[in-house]
Structure formats: C-alpha cells, structure tokens
Amino acid sequence: MEIRVKSGEKLSVKQSLFYGFQSVLACNLFLGPIVLIGIFQMNVQQSAAFIGMTFLACGIATLIQSGFFLKMQVIQGVSFAALGAIVAVVMGGGWQTLVGAVIVSSIFIILLGALRIFSKFVRIFIPGLIAGTVIIVVGISLIPVTFSSVVNLPGNANVNFFLAGITFVLLLIFMRLGHMKNRFAKILSIGGIIYAIVIGTVIASFFGQVNLEPVKEAAWFALPKVLPYGAPKFDIASIIVFCVIMIVVMIESVGTWFTLTELSGEKVDEKRMDRGVVGEGIGVLIGSFFGGLPITSYASNTGVLVLTKVFSRYAAFGAGVIAVVMAFCPKLLYLIAVVPSSVIWGVYGIVAISVFMSGITSIKKYPSTERNNLIVGISVMMTIGVGLLPAAMVGAMPGVLSYFFQAPIAIGSITAIILNLVLRARPEDQAPEPEKVTEVQPEEVVQAAV
C-alpha cells in the first residue's frame, strides 16, 4: 500500500492539527459517552461535563501514547469492550466504585508492561493468524453497529438513511479521486473525511438536523474537576472484573497496533509493545482522576489511515491536543456535537469496512487449511452471535459472564485465542517461510514480540 507520510516523519503544526481533527471526527470520540449518557439518563449539564471529562482523558492518553510511549499514529478512546462492565459496576456500587476499579486495574496493566509480562503473553497466545483474526473481529463488530445506529436514530428513518448514504458516497468519491494523477485530487483524497462530513452536515441542515443554539449558549472556557464523583471506593469484586476487562481492552489495542504494522511496515518488538502497554495504563490512570473510563487504541483510526495514508504520529499528537483543548472549551465540544449522527455514521461505515479488510489482508499469507478456517470462522460466528443475544438472556448470566457477553469484540478475541491453543498448528498451517524472513514483514513483528 502506498504510504504518503511515514510514522516518524514530522508534520507542520497546521498539518498535525488538520489530520488530527480528521481522526477526532472519524473516530467519533463522542460515541462512548453518548451511549452511557443515554443509559444513565443524564441531564444537559451532566452530559456536557461527562463528554468534557471523556475528551480530556482521551486527549491525555493519546498524547502519552503517540508522543512518549508507543510512538505510533494511535487515537485513544473509550473501549466498547468495557461498556457492559461499566454499567454493571455503576448500577451496583456507584461511580466512585467504578473509579476505584479503574485506578487499580490501570496500575495492574502498567505492571504487566513494566515487568515485560504482556509481550510474553502475546507471543504465546496471539501469533500472526490470531492477531489478524482479532482485527477481523473488530471490523465485523463495527459494521452492524453502523446500520443499527442509523436505524435507532430519532427522527425520520428515511432521511437518516439518506444523509448517511450521501456522506458514505461522498467519502467514496474523495477516496477514488486520490488515484488520479493531479495534486488537487490528492488534496481532496487526504482530507476526504472532513470534506464529506462538512458537505453532509450542510445537506443535513436543509432537513432541520443541525441546531446551532447549544453552541451559542455554551461557555468558552471551563475547568474540569478532579475526582468529580468524590473519593474513589475500592470493591474487590469490581477490581477483579476490571483487571480482566483491562486485559481484554489491551488485546483490542494490540490488534490495532498489529493492523498499523501491516499497513505501515513498522516494527512493534518486545520493548515497544511493553512500552505501549505501560503508556496505555498510565493514560487510563491519569484519566480516571478526571472521571475517565477504560481507554483503548481505536481500531476505527486505522480505517482513517487506510483512507489518508498519512501514518505520522504527529497527526495523533495533534488529535490529542485538539481533544484536550475541547475539554477546556465547551463551545468547541458543542460545535462538533452539532454534526448530525447520521452524517457521522455514514463516514463510520467506510471506516468499519477498512478495518475489516485490513484484517483480511493480514491473514492472507496463511494457507486456507481446515484448522485456520475454523479459527477465523468460529471467532467471527461468536462475534456476530453474541451481538444478537437478547439483553434479558445476557443479563441473566452470572456476573463475570454477563460482563463479557455484553462485549462481542472481547468474546470473538477470546474465542480466537482459545481455539489457537486447542487446535494445535501443524507445519501446513503456517505462513510460507519466505513471508517471514524479511525484516519489515508484519509476521516477523508478531513472532518477535516477546
């Protein structure tokens, strides 16, 4: 794949902010908090504060990872694998209990990285085929979310689908323009996500889906509170659950990192992987003091990179700066919030497809044997199946199982890991030797991550 800007290449401040803003929009950092706002029925003031805290936590974590630890183009956002556990803990023990569990579990993750345990876990349990399967699982879980989210939007369903479809097509056009041999077309392709969102929002305004009143009324500046829910409470059961959840979240992140190595040709060796684990743990720990939630490296950003082909970590640093600034400026938060959800989901559809296809690409080097097909197929089946289970059935499961079965990505990933151990690999199941010897091959990266 053509790479326009490599990971280590510097960008100007304007370029960093431009590409970073594109990632902030496409990754839809609002989505996690908006889901929880709906579940807990927060009022306008609570919602604004909650979104601000989330952006601050995500921005800090992104700056830490892209600037100092993993040093790759990763955007940190609230993990959907943790949402079920978040709801269960808050309902049972309150926000203070959740914060206590997140603090302890983030320290646990930091120790796994600092003691170089996590990379050993990856070597044993997540070889190249499993890493690719995890990426596919992430993409598979994102695709139906796009459709179901548009279906469940308030208002006229036909209008919502029309706006999502228009934005989807606009982004496709900008992507294809990038293949033309002129500079103007390349500019349109690189900034395609922003342009599609802007045009989609303008079209949506004719259907009454853009309301600027909240932007006018919002304050320009607001200070986030430290420990907004009060002193944390430490409940052993909640802490154990979140330690397990954080491992699943890290597996989700590692899948994203492997996707980046596939796309960019970069290395993630033992030292870098453990450093990334430490960075993610520190980001979650700092964010928890501002009411932040478990955070992961967003797979949706890899979809953005497939479209822009700009892998510079300075773009992620720009995204982190933007997220932090927005946390201190409610007016900017509301300015992004006025973008209709139908428009965002139109973009998200392309992003989900890109993530899914990058997973397919990463496993193509492996032969289509019965064992390999079973691992990929069963993992995909479990991901889709768990997402279709009735809420009442999931809620009736024992506590820990209930947490996991509310997270299809976690179930799909765990299924792949277990099948890899149960169905022992034979020589004919391995990738051909020539694919594994060159220094920059992703398979070499995966096997060396120990």
Side-chain angles (χ1 to χ4, degrees):
M1 186 185 79
E2 175 195 0
I3 298 175
R4 292 193 176 114
V5 183
K6 295 180 180 179
S7 178
E9 291 186 44
K10 290 188 175 181
L11 299 173
S12 68
V13 173
K14 287 183 180 179
Q15 288 173 324
S16 297
L17 293 176
F18 178 81
Y19 293 125
F21 185 57
Q22 195 162 235
S23 288
V24 168
L25 286 175
C27 287
N28 205 1
L29 297 182
F30 277 99
L31 190 56
I34 283 175
V35 170
L36 294 173
I37 285 168
I39 292 172
F40 295 116
Q41 298 182 347
M42 298 181 186
N43 60 36
V44 175
Q45 291 75 22
Q46 290 171 330
S47 299
F50 189 59
I51 291 173
M53 291 186 297
T54 303
F55 264 67
L56 180 61
C58 293
I60 291 173
T62 299
L63 291 172
I64 288 172
Q65 277 290 56
S66 62
F68 306 101
F69 285 88
L70 188 65
K71 296 185 178 180
M72 293 178 74
Q73 224 279 45
V74 292
I75 305 297
Q76 303 292 111
V78 175
S79 171
F80 286 84
L83 290 185
I86 290 169
V87 173
V89 170
V90 172
M91 291 292 193
W95 288 98
Q96 293 166 296
T97 302
L98 173 67
V99 173
V102 173
I103 288 173
V104 176
S105 60
S106 62
I107 294 172
F108 169 67
I109 287 297
I110 292 170
L111 291 175
L112 288 183
L115 297 175
R116 306 186 76 171
I117 295 173
F118 196 85
S119 59
K120 292 180 175 59
F121 170 85
V122 169
R123 183 191 63 169
I124 298 170
F125 297 108
I126 314 180
L129 178 69
I130 304 309
T133 303
V134 169
I135 299 166
I136 292 172
V137 161
V138 172
I140 283 286
S141 67
L142 295 178
I143 290 172
V145 167
T146 304
F147 276 91
S148 62
S149 298
V150 176
V151 168
N152 294 322
L153 287 175
N156 189 307
N158 292 330
V159 171
N160 290 334
F161 267 102
F162 170 74
L163 293 173
I166 283 290
T167 311
F168 186 94
V169 171
L170 283 169
L171 184 51
L172 281 180
I173 292 172
F174 290 131
M175 287 169 59
R176 298 309 298 168
L177 284 174
H179 296 279
M180 297 174 61
K181 302 298 182 183
N182 64 74
R183 188 171 174 226
F184 179 68
K186 295 248 178 175
I187 291 173
L188 289 179
S189 174
I190 291 173
I193 293 173
I194 287 181
Y195 306 142
I197 288 175
V198 169
I199 296 173
T201 301
V202 171
I203 295 173
S205 67
F206 293 106
F207 293 89
Q209 290 202 8
V210 179
N211 179 16
L212 294 175
E213 285 303 316
V215 180
K216 296 177 183 177
E217 296 172 4
W220 278 103
F221 181 77
L223 280 174
K225 295 181 180 179
V226 178
L227 295 176
Y229 308 116
K233 295 179 181 178
F234 301 97
D235 173 69
I236 295 298
S238 299
I239 288 170
I240 292 173
V241 167
F242 264 85
C243 284
V244 177
I245 288 291
M246 282 300 297
I247 291 176
V248 174
V249 169
M250 283 308 313
I251 292 172
E252 187 181 352
S253 287
V254 168
T256 299
W257 302 348
F258 287 158
T259 306
L260 288 174
T261 65
E262 293 282 351
L263 297 174
S264 67
E266 280 218 57
K267 283 187 172 183
V268 177
D269 57 14
E270 173 188 352
K271 184 176 180 181
R272 191 174 193 179
M273 178 177 292
D274 284 323
R275 196 171 63 223
V277 172
V278 172
E280 196 145 304
I282 291 175
V284 175
L285 178 61
I286 294 175
S288 67
F289 287 95
F290 296 97
L293 306 170
I295 289 169
T296 187
S297 298
Y298 261 19
S300 53
N301 190 51
T302 62
V304 176
L305 302 184
V306 169
L307 304 182
T308 65
K309 301 176 178 62
V310 176
F311 290 86
S312 173
R313 64 188 180 92
Y314 292 93
F317 202 83
V321 170
I322 289 170
V324 170
V325 169
M326 285 182 174
F328 286 91
C329 184
K331 195 174 284 290
L332 290 178
L333 278 175
Y334 279 104
L335 185 60
I336 287 187
V338 300
V339 176
S341 297
S342 53
V343 171
I344 292 294
W345 287 116
V347 170
Y348 208 78
I350 296 286
V351 170
I353 292 168
S354 299
V355 173
F356 172 71
M357 291 310 300
S358 66
I360 294 293
T361 300
S362 71
I363 67 169
K364 281 201 302 187
K365 66 176 70 65
Y366 287 88
S368 181
T369 62
E370 181 182 76
R371 183 252 185 193
N372 292 348
N373 291 342
L374 284 173
I375 289 176
V376 177
I378 294 174
S379 301
V380 168
M381 182 189 72
M382 289 298 293
T383 303
I384 296 173
V386 168
L388 296 175
L389 290 178
M393 180 186 294
V394 175
M397 294 178 180
V400 175
L401 279 180
S402 179
Y403 292 147
F404 285 124
F405 273 81
Q406 293 179 62
I409 292 174
I411 293 296
S413 301
I414 292 170
T415 299
I417 292 170
I418 292 174
L419 288 174
N420 180 62
L421 296 175
V422 174
L423 305 176
R424 305 301 298 176
R426 295 175 295 183
E428 59 266 31
D429 299 316
Q430 303 293 340
E433 191 65 26
E435 296 284 330
K436 302 195 290 183
V437 296
T438 56
E439 195 174 359
V440 297
Q441 284 294 322
E443 172 64 14
E444 176 72 10
V445 175
V446 175
Q447 300 294 342
V450 57

